[in-house]
Structures are given as structure tokens and as C-alpha cells.
Amino acid sequence: MDIGWLESFLALVEHGSFTRAAEAQHVSQPAFSRRIRALESWFGEPLVDRSTYPVGLTPAGVKVRAGAIETVTALGAVRDELRGGRQRAPRGAVRVAVTHTLATTFFAQWWTRCGDPDPAPCVLLPSNTLDAYDALVHGGCDLLLAYADPALP
């Protein structure tokens, strides 16, 4: 179980569309769909009626929705309590794992040039390359920015 799956499920319930929910979570629609399928696999039941628009919930999905809201809220409260006075990320911020060199020399100017005049809020996660890849694979970030040397495999 991944808390991100529950957050994606709740985004789908809120937006009623895989495409709009994926956009709200700053992920591709195929990646978002995989999260929902993974959650359905974990529960062993279909949670979403994909034959309707906006998407509807199956009876199992209705039960999971109630539990997901409680779980995400409770875990968020515990996290906030443990973090204490530390600054929290803005709601809807994109978590970007980036290698140390790119974080200090490239990222800020690049991020402001991305998207519209008012770039999305982001949380910068400077890291070494392998840790950044691990964060991406395990849901610890939404985007990975790393240097690739064409001379290396």
C-alpha cells in the first residue's frame, strides 16, 4: 500500500475524470491510471466504474473512499505534528528530485521558464543521482531532473 495511491483515488473522486485528476496531481494520465489499478489490485476489487462520465464509484469504492479520507487526514496530522515548526510544502506543490549540481546551478532559472508566467509551487529535493531515481520509483517525488552523460550507459 502506498499513501500516494489513496491520494490519487481521492483526487479521482474529487475531479471525476482520470485526465483532470492526473493533471491536478502533476502526473501523466497513464501513471495516474496505474496508481488506481494498483490500489484496486491491493483491495482485490474494482473501485471505479469506468463506463460512466464522470467516473463513478463501485460499492467497494464508496467504502474505500471513507477509509481513504480518514487515513490520509490522520497520517497528515501525525506528519504535521512530527514536523513541528518546520515549514510545510504548499498544497499542490510539485516535488522535484534534482541532483546537487543541477540544484545549485540550473534549477531555479529553468523552473521559472517552465509553464506559464506563474510557475507551480515546488519543493526542491536535492539528492545524489541514485537516491533521486529511488525517490521517483517509490513515489517520493513527482519529477526527476538529472544529468545524463551520453558517453555512459
Side-chain angles (χ1 to χ4, degrees):
M1 167 60 73
D2 181 339
I3 187 109
W5 298 349
L6 293 176
E7 292 168 339
S8 292
F9 177 71
L10 292 174
L12 179 59
V13 170
E14 178 183 346
H15 294 281
S17 158
F18 279 82
T19 302
R20 283 184 286 167
E23 288 172 356
Q25 291 207 309
H26 308 289
V27 297
S28 68
Q29 194 273 323
F32 183 86
S33 293
R34 285 191 298 273
R35 289 180 182 182
I36 301 302
R37 291 226 185 264
L39 186 64
E40 289 175 323
S41 177
W42 192 84
F43 278 108
E45 292 281 332
L47 304 177
V48 179
D49 179 3
R50 292 167 173 82
S51 67
T52 64
Y53 183 83
V55 295
L57 297 179
T58 65
V62 172
K63 290 180 184 177
V64 168
R65 179 183 175 268
I69 291 170
E70 289 179 32
T71 301
V72 169
T73 302
L75 286 173
V78 169
R79 181 192 60 208
D80 291 345
E81 180 182 330
L82 293 174
R83 286 182 176 179
R86 285 188 260 166
Q87 183 179 358
R88 285 180 255 158
R91 184 167 175 79
V94 180
R95 299 168 300 160
V96 183
V98 60
T99 58
H100 293 289
T101 303
L102 291 175
T104 58
T105 62
F106 176 77
F107 181 80
Q109 290 178 352
W110 175 77
W111 186 255
T112 57
R113 288 191 319 258
C114 290
D116 38 56
D118 186 23
C122 73
V123 174
L124 188 61
L125 307 169
S127 180
N128 68 49
T129 303
L130 294 179
D131 288 342
Y133 281 115
D134 191 53
L136 181 66
V137 168
H138 293 99
C141 68
D142 303 307
L143 178 67
L144 167 64
L145 183 63
Y147 175 74
D149 185 342
L152 297 174

